[in-house]
Amino acid sequence: MSDFKLLTQRKIVDILIGDVAILEKEDKQFRLPYLSGPKLCELSTKFGLERTYTWGGGVSRWVYLTDLIEYLDRQDSVGDLIKYLFDLGNFNDVLSEIHDSKTVKAYYSEIIASAISMINGQLLYSHKELRSINAQFVIADIGEPAIIPTEKVSSITVEYIRGLVGRVEEDLYSKHYDSVVTKSRTLVEEVIIYILEQRGIPVPTSGNLIELYRECKATLGMLQDKSWDKRILEMLSGLEKIVSAVSGMRNTNSDAHGAGSARIEIKEREARLIVNSAITMCEYILDVYESQK
């Protein structure tokens, strides 16, 4: 059983099936899309759990979703279900009275943030929290980093690295700065892992970005000594500070329950600085790698 099983708590299930008002704006209450009995059976079947709705069959709606979460937990796929339930494409009825795209996106973002906050209000007692990271949903310990497996990339180029700007554009617009930080970190991980794999070096499995960078430095012969020019040493020291900052920085904007010195609040300017720093860092180590081929 994974931590996703915690989502079967009745109060959380009621949020997910659209029974609980989670946001009030301009004297109107908003909920997640309402899931009727037939819709829940259709959803279950879509995710591999065959269900047929029987009118007057006596099965409560919350039972359908609970069964589906338990089934998907065994498949390690509950995160996919949450991603589907939170997808903008399902909010047509919820936002039917709003007609301009900018306002729709703004309301949608607030509804999702409110839903996650309310869910985390229940998970708090288990010292857990639901997070959206890199378009994936995970449940992690409160105040601790969540490790998302980095997908292997067959080839990394400067163009791919600079493409990070486009990949975070929507997050910056929606003020999802936590996602910006995570995508920046993921890029650094991808580049480092790519270099290590190309060199046939075993990749550390700890998920520790600083450890990965140290291994990459050793592989590329970037370990500094006193014979190096002082100015070069200072610049390389700056790279290490970038890695350390990207590795440790977390944002609290989307987390109503995080606290402590391990978490800080960042604004858009810091988010953009993180993106540009990650790109600079990745371009440099990729260039060092390419020059040694």
Side-chain angles (χ1 to χ4, degrees):
M1 182 187 77
S2 75
D3 289 334
F4 274 112
K5 185 74 180 302
L6 294 169
L7 298 184
T8 58
Q9 297 176 51
R10 178 63 188 275
K11 289 183 178 180
I12 294 178
V13 171
D14 285 345
I15 294 170
L16 294 174
I17 61 178
D19 281 359
V20 179
I22 57 178
L23 177 68
E24 184 169 342
K25 287 181 68 71
E26 299 178 1
D27 298 323
K28 183 172 181 179
Q29 292 185 331
F30 291 89
R31 309 163 188 258
L32 291 179
Y34 180 81
L35 299 177
S36 64
K39 283 184 177 179
L40 283 162
C41 287
E42 181 181 335
L43 180 65
S44 296
T45 301
K46 176 183 179 68
F47 278 89
L49 179 61
E50 293 290 337
R51 298 300 294 262
T52 302
Y53 186 75
T54 302
W55 293 97
V59 179
S60 298
R61 292 164 46 248
W62 69 269
V63 174
Y64 282 128
L65 189 62
T66 299
D67 289 347
L68 179 57
I69 291 173
E70 291 178 344
Y71 168 77
L72 292 177
D73 186 51
R74 295 191 293 271
Q75 318 297 321
D76 196 27
S77 300
V78 180
D80 294 333
L81 172 65
I82 303 303
K83 183 177 180 179
Y84 177 83
L85 294 177
F86 286 3
D87 187 82
L88 176 60
N90 297 318
F91 281 72
N92 184 51
D93 291 339
V94 175
L95 302 172
S96 60
E97 297 181 11
I98 304 173
H99 304 294
D100 68 284
S101 61
K102 186 175 182 179
T103 306
V104 166
K105 288 181 178 179
Y107 271 59
Y108 164 73
S109 296
E110 287 191 59
I111 292 171
I112 295 301
S114 296
I116 292 175
S117 178
M118 288 190 71
I119 290 170
N120 284 341
Q122 299 302 314
L123 295 178
L124 173 66
Y125 302 105
S126 301
H127 306 287
K128 303 288 183 181
E129 61 186 357
L130 177 68
R131 298 184 203 159
S132 173
I133 301 176
N134 263 15
Q136 299 182 60
F137 285 93
V138 298
I139 291 182
D141 293 329
I142 292 177
E144 296 297 327
I147 298 175
I148 302 296
T150 304
E151 296 183 8
K152 291 185 178 181
V153 180
S154 59
S155 178
I156 286 185
T157 63
V158 171
E159 289 72 23
Y160 176 79
I161 292 172
R162 292 176 181 172
L164 177 64
V165 174
R167 296 195 290 276
V168 301
E169 184 176 354
E170 181 63 27
D171 294 318
L172 288 168
Y173 173 82
S174 303
K175 302 185 187 303
H176 293 162
Y177 302 136
D178 191 48
S179 180
V180 174
V181 172
T182 302
K183 288 178 180 177
S184 299
R185 176 195 168 106
T186 297
L187 176 67
V188 176
E189 287 182 342
E190 284 179 337
V191 174
I192 291 175
I193 290 173
Y194 171 76
I195 291 172
L196 293 176
E197 289 181 341
Q198 293 299 305
R199 288 290 180 89
I201 305 297
V203 177
T205 59
S206 64
N208 187 311
L209 184 58
I210 295 175
E211 181 183 348
L212 281 171
Y213 178 59
R214 286 174 183 160
E215 191 68 45
C216 185
K217 278 202 311 179
T219 300
L220 296 177
M222 291 171 56
L223 296 175
Q224 302 102 305
D225 60 53
K226 294 182 180 180
S227 65
W228 290 32
D229 186 281
K230 181 180 178 181
R231 292 160 294 186
I232 300 297
L233 287 174
E234 287 178 351
M235 286 193 297
L236 292 176
S237 175
L239 287 181
E240 295 196 14
K241 290 178 181 178
I242 289 174
V243 173
S244 178
V246 171
S247 176
M249 186 170 287
R250 308 246 348 260
N251 171 50
T252 57
N253 286 356
S254 62
D255 172 24
H257 302 288
S261 61
R263 287 179 175 269
I264 63 172
E265 180 177 350
I266 63 172
K267 298 180 175 63
E268 181 178 350
R269 57 179 176 265
E270 285 87 22
R272 291 189 181 277
L273 179 61
I274 292 168
V275 171
N276 292 327
S277 297
I279 290 174
T280 300
M281 161 77 185
C282 290
E283 284 190 5
Y284 179 78
I285 61 174
L286 181 66
D287 187 57
V288 172
Y289 164 72
E290 293 288 348
S291 69
Q292 295 177 5
K293 279 186 174 180

